[in-house]
Amino acid sequence: MFLFNWWGNDDYTNYNWSFEPASNPGAYVSVNPEKENVCLIQDAQLSNSGVYYVEAKDINGCEVSDNVRISFYTAAPPELKVTEDLCRGETIDILASNGYDSYRWYNGSSTFISF
């Protein structure tokens, strides 16, 4: 999830958000957030990369605007290296590659181990 907002409190109204996908420059998509001064990207995917634009009117009726370029990247899949055979009752350290905030291990049942 990714969130950005216009810190205009009550001084701005009539917000208009749009998105220009990096994969399709020149194609603008209207974004209508639930809260007009906050744009929330629920699913941060590569397809959500691009330029986000916002326009609004200030308390004097003047139009103001801003934009931000957001880039999402696909992380490389983790690489597990197990170089030993394991027998029942023995333990082994499994090391995963760097680059992730957390890992979720599946132990063969319906239980996941997260750390």
Side-chain angles (χ1 to χ4, degrees):
M1 180 183 325
F2 187 80
L3 176 131
F4 52 99
N5 65 12
W6 184 291
W7 292 101
N9 54 41
D10 294 331
D11 293 340
Y12 299 93
T13 60
N14 300 329
Y15 290 85
N16 182 30
W17 292 85
S18 60
F19 167 60
E20 180 183 13
S23 61
N24 194 5
Y28 295 88
V29 178
S30 180
V31 179
N32 296 307
E34 187 174 311
K35 188 173 180 184
E36 73 172 355
N37 69 319
V38 177
C39 186
L40 174 66
I41 302 171
Q42 290 282 7
D43 193 11
Q45 297 184 41
L46 190 60
S47 62
N48 289 327
S49 294
V51 181
Y52 288 80
Y53 298 90
V54 62
E55 298 172 339
K57 288 191 177 181
D58 67 13
I59 57 175
N60 298 314
C62 298
E63 291 187 9
V64 293
S65 63
D66 204 354
N67 67 73
V68 62
R69 179 176 302 277
I70 305 291
S71 298
F72 295 101
Y73 298 95
T74 303
E79 181 182 331
L80 297 177
K81 294 182 180 180
V82 179
T83 58
E84 301 175 33
D85 291 331
L86 187 63
C87 295
R88 182 179 291 274
E90 293 181 330
T91 61
I92 190 171
D93 290 330
I94 300 174
L95 303 174
S97 55
N98 292 328
Y100 292 86
D101 291 333
S102 63
Y103 293 91
R104 190 170 167 181
W105 300 97
Y106 177 64
N107 66 5
S109 68
S110 60
T111 304
F112 287 94
I113 303 167
S114 298
F115 50 103

